[in-house]
Every structure is written in structure tokens, then in C-alpha cells.
Amino acid sequence: MKKAFLFLFAVAWLWSMPHVVACTGITLRTTSGETVVARTIEWAGDDLESCYAVVPRGYQQQSYLPDGTQHGKKFKAKYGYVGLAVQQPEFVVDGMNEAGLSAALFYFPGYGDYGSYDAAHKDKYLSDLQLVSWILSSFATVDEVKMAMNDVRVVTIDARGSTVHWRITEASGRQVVLEIVDCQPRFYENELGVLTNSPGFEWHLTNLNNYVNLSAGAVPERRVGALSLSAFGGGSGLHGLPGDMTPPSRFVRAAFFQATAPQLKTTAETVVQAFHILNNFDIPIGTQVAEGQSVPDIPSATQWTVATDIRHRRIYYRTMYNATIRCFDFKTIDFGKVKFLSAPLDAVKQQPIEMVRLP
């Protein structure tokens, strides 16, 4: 039963996602340099049945493999962590551990290459959907992750599935992007702090040069021959900013929205700012469904948004069913005593509405 479920999930991942997945990540810093990482996760195929996982120190896991068995690499949690997962709690796609290391998975079709699966070395293999769990369980810094990647192999649960890449941020604020290309892990320092999907991270940075003309604010009046030209409204300096849902366009928008956002004093303010910025990347349901195709019965393609305050060890999230921001505060969790816990992100899948009571 488990094998059949995993196979069906992998097939859905393979066939649905190229048209409906559009994760966008940003990084904001306070005036004192404290880091907040945030991202959206989109899936317009159906409800991802997302859940959270609270994982204690000492908790042992084992990776799933392409044959449907859970006989891959074993790993035991050196650090406790909280993660947001899809379909089942092992598949954490975004989270942070008690050492302040944050890790997140982003879809990366057509450009990654994990290499062929070799069952003779199955005890070294990690499912790409479980790499975040392994990172959060095992490491406190980016350099520790870089060293350890040489001793593991990554595989998709279904060999026909696509690849992913990862954003990793440590407590110091240093951030890297991990892409596995030509069977080799490649780490890129991400000083910009933005990540979307394909093509590769370096291509996206180069592509920003195509928008060197963009700027914040309004374009001043100018004369062109006998004509006197002026902008129709504020923000005209960003005229030409791409507005479609593709990863290159979202990367450009995220880079400019992030760069022009004012630095705020506290992480609490910055978390709220991150949610406001990411409002611009909400994808209404139906926009990625071709004419004649059925539209899934979900409120939004943006299934949830998360912001992580690394300094204060807090994870905030909201969902397509409930726009109220909810928070995990690590100060309330004793990772040495808490039992493993998982529950849906939404206990009730309906947006609450507060009635206004007149005095």
C-alpha cells in the first residue's frame, strides 16, 4: 500500500508540476543584519495535504528509494527541527533546526541531474524529497553540509520524476543554493537571497542584466523633440518589469521588490514585510490551467507561504485556506523531551471571517 501511494505521488509530481509549480523565495535583513528567509509553495494540481513536523533530537529516519521501499540512508537527528511538509511528514520542503540552520526545496525541472540509481549502494541514497530533513537533522552550518554532500547520493522516488534544488541559510545569515548537475553537487553563494526554479541559479543572476534600466520611483518628465512626456503614475521606473508566472520573471520581480524594500528595525516587522512582498507572487487558481481543462477545487495555486526568523528561531506560515499568520516559537519547544509530532497545517480548511461588532 505504501509503495503504491509513493508511486502515485511520484507520478503526480512528474506529470503535473511542469505546468503548475512556481515557488518563489526571498531574503530580508533588518537594520542590524538579522535574517528572515521566506518563500511560497505553489501546486495547482490538487491539495498537497501539507502538514508540519516537530522532530526531536535522536529521532531516526530512513530514506525512501525508487523501488518504493524505505531502505535508503539512515540518519538520526543531532538537532531538533520544525518543518513544513507535503503529502507526508518525511517530505519536508521548508524548515529550520534549533541551531538556526534553515533549508528549503524548490522545483528544478530540466536542469538537474542526479545520475542513475545504483541499488548496490542503496544505504548511501537520500530521496530528494528528504534531503531537507537530513540537512536539518544533521548540521548547523553551510560548510558542514558542503562537506557531507560528498558522502551521499540523491535520487528521485520515481526515476521519471524531475529534479529539485535547495536553498540553505545558516544562523550567520550566509546562504547558498545547492544544485546537482552532471551528478555533482554544486554550491553557489547566494548574496542576493532570491531563488525560484529553472534555469540554473547562475543563469538567473546573469538574466538580471536585461533589466538594468529598471529603478524604484517615478521616471522624470522628459522632452522628445516637440513632445513633453511624463509618467502616468508612481512606480514608473519599474515599467517593463515582467509580470508572468514563469521562474525567470518571478526571479526578476522578487529581486527588485526585495532590493527596494526598506530595511526595518525588528525581525517581527520584517516577517510581516516578507508576507506583503510575497503577496505579489500569489497565483490565482485557473491561471495555469489551459482552456478546456478542469480547474482543481482549491482556493489558490499558492498553497502556503512561510517566513523564518532565524535569529529568534521562529517559523511563521499562512495557507490558501487561512490567511492568518501562525507561528512556531522554538523557545516553547524542548527538543530533548518533545515527542515526534505531525499535524495538518489547517485543522479546518476554510478561511475564517471575523464579523465587525459595532459599538
Side-chain angles (χ1 to χ4, degrees):
M1 186 69 177
K2 175 76 78 172
K3 180 177 179 179
F5 169 78
L6 289 170
F7 175 78
L8 290 172
F9 173 74
V11 170
W13 186 272
L14 168 65
W15 296 113
S16 298
M17 288 183 72
H19 306 289
V20 297
V21 170
C23 306
T24 301
I26 61 173
T27 306
L28 300 176
R29 290 184 171 83
T30 67
T31 52
S32 58
E34 295 169 327
T35 302
V36 170
V37 291
R39 61 88 58 87
T40 63
I41 185 165
E42 278 80 21
W43 173 286
D46 53 20
D47 190 331
L48 283 171
E49 302 295 342
S50 299
C51 61
Y52 66 79
V54 179
V55 180
R57 281 181 236 125
Y59 186 76
Q60 185 161 301
Q61 300 184 59
Q62 190 164 12
S63 179
Y64 288 99
L65 294 175
D67 60 9
T69 65
Q70 199 172 3
H71 295 153
K73 183 176 177 61
K74 294 180 179 180
F75 54 99
K76 187 175 181 179
K78 178 180 179 181
Y79 302 100
Y81 66 90
V82 175
L84 275 58
V86 296
Q87 295 291 329
Q88 57 190 74
E90 293 93 340
F91 300 154
V92 171
V93 297
D94 200 292
M96 177 177 61
N97 67 21
E98 59 184 318
L101 186 73
S102 168
L105 172 158
F106 291 71
Y107 191 54
F108 189 50
Y111 287 83
D113 177 14
Y114 304 151
S116 300
Y117 171 63
D118 182 357
H121 300 284
K122 63 182 181 180
D123 60 335
K124 289 184 175 293
Y125 275 95
L126 279 166
S127 155
D128 56 1
L129 290 175
Q130 291 171 269
L131 193 73
V132 169
S133 293
W134 173 68
I135 289 171
L136 297 179
S137 291
S138 308
F139 309 110
T141 68
V142 166
D143 284 337
E144 290 176 4
V145 178
K146 292 177 72 171
M147 291 181 61
M149 279 301 300
N150 295 319
D151 299 323
V152 299
R153 302 183 183 186
V154 176
V155 67
T156 57
I157 293 175
D158 187 288
R160 297 169 298 172
S162 184
T163 55
V164 298
H165 58 179
W166 297 264
R167 177 181 69 181
I168 306 165
T169 311
E170 64 179 38
S172 70
R174 179 188 179 193
Q175 183 179 119
V176 297
V177 172
L178 166 60
E179 296 177 347
I180 301 177
V181 181
D182 296 330
C183 310
Q184 298 296 318
R186 300 180 182 181
F187 288 88
Y188 302 96
E189 297 292 329
N190 189 4
E191 295 181 1
L192 179 62
V194 172
L195 187 62
T196 57
N197 313 108
S198 301
F201 178 66
E202 287 192 314
W203 183 95
H204 284 291
L205 293 180
T206 301
N207 184 52
L208 288 177
N209 289 285
N210 284 318
Y211 301 91
V212 67
N213 59 298
L214 300 182
S215 62
V219 175
E221 284 190 28
R222 59 173 300 191
R223 293 193 64 83
V224 179
L227 296 176
S228 178
L229 304 177
S230 61
F232 287 118
S236 57
L238 291 179
H239 186 71
L241 189 72
D244 62 79
M245 308 301 187
T246 63
S249 294
R250 287 183 287 104
F251 193 100
V252 173
R253 289 205 306 281
F256 278 91
F257 292 161
Q258 175 184 293
T260 56
Q263 282 190 300
L264 303 177
K265 186 176 180 180
T266 69
T267 53
E269 295 172 304
T270 304
V271 163
V272 174
Q273 182 185 49
F275 280 109
H276 281 300
I277 291 174
L278 290 175
N279 283 340
N280 294 278
F281 300 90
D282 280 357
I283 298 180
I285 195 68
T287 58
Q288 294 176 309
V289 178
E291 185 176 355
Q293 294 181 336
S294 60
V295 179
D297 185 20
I298 54 177
S300 172
T302 303
Q303 299 212 7
W304 46 266
T305 303
V306 60
T308 301
D309 175 355
I310 292 179
R311 170 67 177 82
H312 297 100
R313 307 290 195 272
R314 288 181 174 179
I315 295 176
Y316 301 79
Y317 76 92
R318 69 182 182 199
T319 73
M320 63 179 172
Y321 292 111
N322 188 345
T324 302
I325 298 173
R326 287 152 278 176
C327 177
F328 295 98
D329 187 345
F330 282 29
K331 289 196 290 290
T332 67
I333 305 171
D334 186 340
F335 288 103
K337 294 182 178 179
V338 70
K339 302 297 184 182
F340 175 86
L341 175 65
S342 179
L345 293 186
D346 294 296
V348 178
K349 293 184 176 181
Q350 183 175 354
Q351 175 63 47
I353 298 176
E354 180 180 346
M355 301 302 294
V356 176
R357 304 296 180 184
L358 299 179

